[in-house]
DNA sequence: TGTACATCAGTGAACGCGCGTTCACTGATGTAC
DNA sequence: TGTACATCAGTGAACGCGCGTTCACTGATGTAC
């Protein structure tokens, strides 16, 4: 009983540290994660943090894993909320959710998809599984793509032959049961929305196309229509 | 005469400072630009740097402007080297040059298109013109797109109506004489290659598609074919 | 239920470090007559 | 051509700051009998 109370307290403080770190990252940038600054914000001494994280690296790793998971959660939730609507709509919902999360949490997005933090090396064993989850919702949706597609533009009808071996390897490695073409289209879709998003996040897109959301939406729609998934 | 010697010396040191800064960024990340570290590398005292740059901000701004210009130079050079080959090939050359420069200079690329540096605010008046140059080569090529296109996929035949006002504004503001559709296609192409590139640079693409270059190439080819520019 | 003991969150002082920037200065380079 | 003067690149000392991490410690919380 009492033990539980201490554990709860511990978990709460652990969470608070990460929250404060995220808040500070918004102001200082991802490279600015500082144990002393966090402690100051929390009215604690800096050494106390070492009871929660082995060192600064460990904290950053935790933040990265959290970010990957939060993004994946958000995307999966959007997919579930789209329920049994037509595939095209569900894909749309998922891709919009990706953007929405990125804009709502730009610093976490930077943390996982932006510049590496100087002096920090992400331990792949810890990070990679969480990163893979980010693709899960998309990949699973895409498993349905094989069935019931409308007419697709030539660009999306076949996987480029030179890429086939890689997607075959991916399929085998991850145990996906989606058809190869579906995996390929997922990768294409992801890289495209990501490009728009990154440019928007660093304010390089707006001078060009004015409204980031409108451009994003129109690109996704055009792409899904091209892929024969929009009916 | 002698005056020239001093000026030359000055310009050389100025250049060296930036070179050392770039070299250090490779090791420390873009956020790690440090005047003291640069001075140390150069066997100078740190205060001496203040004869060349007003402060750290000014140095970073110079690095950013240089990076934009170097990228633009590289892309323009590729375009000129492609001479009078068919439009599709010239576009291919330009888009490949974009990737090539980014991979050869990942830190400079991060500097202009990655996370903002904490505590640094880019002065848009200085930065924007250089940034715009980056698009120049593409935009100019695209001015030719109107003529002699092959059959294009539906996705690329018209500019989405909701985006038209923005591209009209862009056309007017920048004084481009390319047709609206061409400007739109340029923006589309840019955002797409940028997405692939960013994922590749943070090593998130490779686990998915194995070979970044192959994927990039195949995507650009498919896109140009779709746009009816590949003949 | 009370008591002795173990656990462990949190503390303040200290270590050695790096940072941007200022200041008053020296001494070489360049200019004007 | 030589001399007096102005310019200005570069110096070392110092300012006040923040950082991650260690250490020996205190005192509250939880455990075992």
């Amino acid at each position: 009983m009492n033990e539980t109370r201490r554990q709860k307290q511990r978990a709460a403080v652990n969470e608070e540290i990460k929250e404060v770190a995220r808040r500070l990252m918004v102001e200082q940038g991802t490279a600015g994660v500082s144990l002393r600054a966090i402690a100051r914000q929390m009215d604690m001494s800096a050494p106390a943090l070492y009871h929660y994280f082995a060192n600064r690296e460990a904290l950053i790793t935790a933040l990265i894993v959290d970010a990957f998971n939060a993004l994946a959660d958000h995307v999966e939730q959007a997919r579930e909320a789209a329920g049994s609507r037509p595939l095209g709509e569900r894909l749309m919902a998922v891709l919009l959710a990706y953007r929405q999360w990125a804009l709502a949490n730009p610093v976490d997005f930077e943390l996982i998809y932006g510049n590496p933090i100087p002096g920090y090396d992400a331990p792949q064993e810890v990070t990679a599984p969480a990163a893979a989850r980010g693709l899960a919702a998309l990949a699973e949706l895409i498993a349905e793509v094989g069935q019931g597609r409308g007419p697709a533009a030539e660009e999306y009808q076949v996987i480029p032959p030179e890429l086939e071996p890689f997607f075959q390897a991916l399929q085998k490695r991850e145990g996906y049961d989606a058809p190869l073409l579906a995996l390929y289209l997922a990768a294409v879709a992801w890289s495209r929305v990501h490009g728009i998003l990154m440019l928007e996040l660093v304010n390089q897109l707006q001078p060009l196309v004015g409204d980031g959301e409108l451009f994003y939406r129109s690109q996704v729609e055009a792409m899904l229509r091209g892929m024969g998934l929009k009916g």
Side-chain angles (χ1 to χ4, degrees), chain A:
Chain A
M1 283 301 120
N2 277 337
E3 205 233 348
T4 303
R5 210 152 69 208
R6 184 131 95 180
Q7 283 179 342
K8 260 192 183 150
Q9 175 65 17
R10 191 184 160 77
V13 174
N14 195 291
E15 214 43 55
E16 197 191 342
I17 292 172
K18 292 192 287 185
E19 261 163 46
V20 172
R22 276 187 281 262
R23 215 168 55 228
L24 287 173
M25 276 198 299
V26 173
E27 290 152 31
Q28 309 286 340
T30 48
V33 186
S34 142
L35 296 182
R36 291 191 104 114
I38 294 167
R40 224 178 294 124
Q41 276 291 307
M42 294 178 69
D43 280 320
M44 279 179 104
S45 70
L49 298 186
Y50 284 79
H51 282 287
Y52 296 89
F53 296 94
N55 50 34
R56 182 171 174 267
E57 283 239 328
L59 171 59
I60 294 176
T61 300
L63 290 171
I64 289 178
V65 170
D66 274 13
F68 273 124
N69 281 323
L71 172 54
D73 286 347
H74 185 78
V75 166
E76 272 169 23
Q77 209 174 302
R79 176 167 151 246
E80 273 158 35
S84 55
R85 307 220 311 269
L87 182 56
E89 285 182 34
R90 277 180 288 154
L91 277 166
M92 187 72 183
V94 160
L95 293 174
L96 283 179
Y98 189 75
R99 173 172 182 275
Q100 197 190 326
W101 189 87
L103 289 183
N105 306 278
V107 173
D108 297 79
F109 196 76
E110 271 174 30
L111 193 61
I112 55 183
Y113 289 124
N115 306 357
I117 293 182
Y120 169 79
D121 254 328
Q124 294 291 330
E125 335 78 71
V126 182
T127 277
R133 262 200 73 202
L135 293 176
L138 197 56
E140 285 175 37
L141 261 188
I142 267 116
E144 308 177 29
V145 170
Q147 316 138 14
R149 275 173 86 202
E154 206 185 330
E155 187 176 350
Y156 309 110
Q157 275 173 16
V158 294
I159 181 172
E162 70 270 29
L163 294 180
E164 230 183 288
F166 296 108
F167 284 94
Q168 245 151 11
L170 174 71
Q171 192 183 40
K172 196 166 174 189
R173 178 159 39 88
E174 302 283 337
Y176 291 135
D177 54 357
L180 278 194
L181 179 60
L183 287 179
Y184 167 70
L185 292 179
V188 169
W190 185 43
S191 77
R192 289 201 192 166
V193 297
H194 192 79
I196 301 173
L197 211 38
M198 284 306 282
L199 287 174
E200 185 176 2
L201 284 173
V202 297
N203 297 313
Q204 297 282 347
L205 187 68
Q206 292 85 339
L208 201 60
V209 305
D211 185 318
E213 161 137 28
L214 222 51
F215 187 74
Y216 189 94
R217 263 204 137 85
S218 90
Q219 289 306 296
V220 174
E221 263 164 23
M223 179 180 69
L224 293 180
R225 223 179 296 116
M227 288 181 175
L229 294 168
K230 197 56 196 167

